[in-house]
Amino acid sequence: MTSQSSPTVFIIDDDMGVCASIQGLLKAVGLRSEGFGTAEEYLSHKESDGPSCLVLDVSLPGVSGLELQRKLADAGVRIPIIFITGHGDIPMTVKAIKSGAVEFLTKPFDDQDLLNAIQLAFERDQATRHLQGELAELRQHYESLTARERQVMGLVVSGMLNKQVAFELGTSEVTVKIQRGRVMAKMQAESLAELVRMAAKLDLPIGNK
């Protein structure tokens, strides 16, 4: 397994002692990590291909931890975040968790609490990557449909019978049946219910010609 695909913990803390301490802990339990002193340094690094999470100090020079969380969310980056801080308060904690943070730990924190949070973060990241992979595969299947097959799919998942689809599209019921079979095959759907779920995941307009 390459370093780019192995699980990685990214640590951002301007206190190099804290950063080194966390990296030492992670190395002791066999986890790969990379340390950064600022959010800007982290943003300039190459994104990891494998499961990853971010151990992020709230108070950083320049872009703060909460600002970085917002920037990543705006950019569509879904990396799980574990916040650490020397002076957290309840409103700050609530804001971070509501914005999707896995955990909010106040320094000095227990090593096991951090390791537990990292394990949870990796599990969340793997689940997200799995869903993203499924969605990418669904999109590939959908893109393989012809324009007419997409029309048929949209009408079928809206609940129309073959004869209703045929009337809507001005074609024969036999033709619709053939096109519907092609849609099912290309989408690799074993039932109408599964095809409906696929359309929902793809956020397709239902019933449009």
Side-chain angles (χ1 to χ4, degrees):
M1 184 179 290
T2 66
S3 61
Q4 281 298 311
S5 62
S6 60
T8 306
V9 180
F10 297 104
I11 307 155
I12 309 178
D13 196 315
D14 60 321
D15 185 329
M16 291 296 100
V18 171
C19 195
S21 177
I22 295 174
Q23 287 193 284
L25 170 66
L26 298 180
K27 184 176 181 180
V29 297
L31 287 175
R32 180 176 180 272
S33 66
E34 292 184 33
F36 305 89
T38 65
E40 290 84 353
E41 288 178 20
Y42 169 75
L43 290 171
S44 67
H45 93 290
K46 183 178 179 181
E47 191 173 342
S48 173
D49 294 329
S52 58
C53 70
L54 186 57
V55 176
L56 176 59
D57 189 24
V58 172
S59 301
L60 292 169
V63 177
S64 72
L66 291 174
E67 288 174 331
L68 176 60
Q69 182 187 36
R70 188 180 67 251
K71 283 179 177 288
L72 292 175
D74 291 345
V77 178
R78 305 303 179 193
I79 184 169
I81 297 175
I82 299 160
F83 278 107
I84 57 175
T85 181
H87 45 80
D89 54 39
I90 292 176
M92 185 186 295
T93 304
V94 170
K95 181 177 181 181
I97 298 298
K98 278 188 174 181
S99 297
V102 174
E103 186 58 275
F104 196 105
L105 301 175
T106 302
K107 303 173 186 176
F109 45 78
D110 184 77
D111 288 351
Q112 192 58 52
D113 287 342
L114 177 60
L115 293 176
N116 290 344
I118 288 171
Q119 178 62 34
L120 179 60
F122 279 152
E123 291 172 359
R124 183 180 294 185
D125 192 48
Q126 287 175 320
T128 298
R129 288 170 182 268
H130 178 71
L131 289 174
Q132 289 174 336
E134 281 188 342
L135 186 57
E137 186 176 357
L138 273 181
R139 286 186 178 132
Q140 286 184 338
H141 293 332
Y142 185 71
E143 288 169 3
S144 73
L145 302 180
T146 65
R148 177 47 63 94
E149 287 167 352
R150 292 181 188 182
Q151 289 178 316
V152 170
M153 178 175 170
L155 295 170
V156 166
V157 299
S158 74
M160 286 189 179
L161 301 174
N162 287 349
K163 62 182 179 181
Q164 294 172 313
V165 175
F167 177 79
E168 184 75 17
L169 297 179
T171 187
S172 72
E173 188 174 345
V174 172
T175 298
V176 169
K177 187 175 181 180
I178 293 171
Q179 291 168 336
R180 178 171 174 166
R182 288 174 180 165
V183 169
M184 298 292 285
K186 288 183 179 180
M187 293 301 296
Q188 296 183 14
E190 296 183 0
S191 67
L192 176 57
E194 187 176 3
L195 190 67
V196 171
R197 285 193 291 271
M198 289 176 174
K201 288 180 180 179
L202 291 168
D203 196 24
L204 300 179
I206 303 301
N208 289 348
K209 291 179 62 175

